[in-house]
Amino acid sequence: MKKWTKVVAAVVAGTMLLALAGCGGAKDSKPAAEKKADKKIVIGFSQVGAESEWRTANTESIKAAAKEAGIELKFSDGQQKQENQVKAIRSFIQQKVDVIAFSPVVETGWDTVLQEAKDAHIPVILTDRAIKLGKGNPEDYYVTFLGSDFIVEGQNAAKWLLEFTKKTDPVNIVELQGTVGSAPAIDRKKGFEEVMKDHPNYKIIKSQTGDFTRAKGKEVMESFLKSAKAEGQKIDVLYAHNDDMAIGAIQAIEEAGLKPGKDIIIVSVDGVKGAFEAMIAGKLNCTVECSPLLGPQLMDAVKNILAGKTLEKRILTKEGVFPADVAAKELPNRKY
Ligand code: GZL
């Protein structure tokens, strides 16, 4: 009997040892990729700020898409200051996130922090706005850039205006520019002027930044109206680089006793709901779409990068032009 007990004890002990080794082994035998697959993806996102309806919709799209994709999102609001965005990107590097994405408030000044991200081997995705580096090719510092073509948006605004007004006598245009030094402000101006150069009777007589906000757009439009009156100039058209500045300007035009959309033709960019409501009220004549709904594309790009796939350097968003006569029909379809 004693001998049996010894044998059973040995078998039990052996089995236990095997089981322990097996379960340890099971842990060690899982392929690295699978282990990685178990680990939740973490993305650090540095946002420009909360300056416009467009930006709010962009932030909502990114947050919703991260949740949907099961990706942990570390989100930072830059309050439209580059130093805040640089600080956020540095913190993402410290936290060793899997991917860094950001919408650069201005085009330049990113060389050092992007080199730090590169040295830390953290892939970077550009969303919404482009960058320019002091030296070297920007494309060496980010995996992909997803967003709109702002030059085309400026061209579309000018083409719509020419088609809508069909003027041969002088047309005085005032321009509310976006944030100084930002890609959308630079390129929307560039695209608009490229088309207008073949129509010299259409002239930009005043141009100033309204920083993409309603408040500043109203303030600058007030100064345009005041100085034009003092100089005996008529303002025929307002070209605003975003709908928020146009909506602010509409208030200034009304307070000056003029009819926005009639006395002053207004064309702007973004295609936010507020623009459709202004068009239905007859106060805005056209908005050129610039989609903020970049969240799903961003999360797909993150997953593809971490899966080792190669991405296009540039992922373009398709956009339309919405004149006032389609606003009522289109409004129910708008997602931002
Ligand atoms: C455009 C985006 C601009 C919007 C503005 O992609 O960067 O910034 O046109 C926003 O409304 O503030």
Side-chain angles (χ1 to χ4, degrees), residues 51-52 54-55 103 128-129 148 150 184 188 212 241-244 269-270 290:
E51 72 283 0
S52 62
W54 189 98
R55 190 63 56 197
S103 172
D128 167 27
R129 297 182 181 181
S148 308
F150 304 131
R188 284 171 185 165
F212 283 131
H241 289 185
N242 84 330
D243 295 332
D244 285 71
V269 186
D270 276 351
C290 172

Side-chain angles (χ1 to χ4, degrees), residues 4-279:
W4 242 131
T5 319
K6 271 191 188 147
V7 168
V8 168
V11 167
V12 167
T15 316
M16 279 172 72
L17 271 176
L18 262 181
L20 274 176
C23 105
K27 213 166 81 216
D28 295 343
S29 64
K30 196 186 259 188
E34 234 182 273
K35 247 187 243 167
K36 233 178 161 187
D38 291 353
K39 181 175 149 311
K40 188 161 188 157
I41 295 173
V42 181
I43 168 177
F45 187 87
S46 166
Q47 180 60 292
V48 165
E51 72 283 0
S52 62
E53 266 188 71
W54 189 98
R55 190 63 56 197
T56 306
N58 180 244
T59 293
E60 283 166 5
S61 172
I62 288 165
K63 288 182 173 175
K67 193 155 177 262
E68 175 70 23
I71 288 175
E72 183 186 334
L73 173 69
K74 292 179 182 296
F75 182 90
S76 161
D77 174 340
Q79 294 168 328
Q80 283 191 286
K81 289 187 175 58
Q82 180 171 35
E83 63 266 27
N84 292 343
Q85 290 201 279
V86 169
K87 235 183 269 164
I89 293 170
R90 285 206 165 110
S91 139
F92 297 146
I93 294 170
Q94 292 297 325
Q95 298 174 67
K96 296 187 172 46
V97 298
D98 296 305
V99 176
I100 290 171
F102 74 116
S103 172
V105 61
V106 290
E107 281 192 336
T108 56
W110 305 100
D111 303 55
T112 308
V113 75
L114 288 179
Q115 187 57 53
E116 291 165 15
K118 195 179 175 85
D119 295 344
H121 306 292
I122 299 178
V124 172
I125 296 175
L126 271 193
T127 69
D128 167 27
R129 297 182 181 181
I131 57 166
K132 281 196 171 67
L133 296 186
K135 60 182 185 334
N137 179 354
E139 293 191 356
D140 295 338
Y141 291 84
Y142 62 83
V143 176
T144 188
F145 164 36
L146 39 106
S148 308
D149 184 330
F150 304 131
I151 291 179
V152 166
E153 292 168 354
Q155 292 166 340
N156 285 341
K159 286 174 187 167
W160 172 84
L161 180 62
L162 290 169
E163 184 54 33
F164 184 74
T165 53
K166 295 191 176 63
K167 293 274 186 197
T168 48
D169 51 1
V171 175
N172 289 338
I173 301 168
V174 293
E175 179 184 33
L176 285 172
Q177 295 183 36
T179 302
V180 174
S182 68
I186 293 165
D187 287 352
R188 284 171 185 165
K189 181 172 189 57
K190 191 169 165 202
F192 189 87
E193 289 175 345
E194 254 171 29
V195 171
M196 283 307 178
K197 71 177 183 312
D198 300 332
H199 304 268
N201 59 312
Y202 286 77
K203 200 159 159 284
I204 296 179
I205 58 167
K206 293 177 189 307
S207 180
Q208 194 180 324
T209 182
D211 211 15
F212 283 131
T213 68
R214 290 190 184 199
K216 200 93 171 83
K218 179 172 190 253
E219 188 189 308
V220 174
M221 189 65 204
E222 282 163 354
S223 71
F224 283 166
L225 288 161
K226 211 178 288 169
S227 58
K229 192 170 179 186
E231 293 147 14
Q233 283 185 311
K234 187 173 174 303
I235 296 174
D236 302 302
V237 173
L238 163 64
Y239 168 45
H241 289 185
N242 84 330
D243 295 332
D244 285 71
M245 293 189 293
I247 291 165
I250 284 168
Q251 290 168 14
I253 293 167
E254 289 179 316
E255 286 168 11
L258 296 170
K259 290 192 182 64
K262 294 173 185 61
D263 298 331
I264 296 179
I265 301 297
I266 306 175
V267 55
S268 61
V269 186
D270 276 351
V272 297
K273 277 205 181 87
F276 282 81
E277 288 152 0
M279 287 194 286

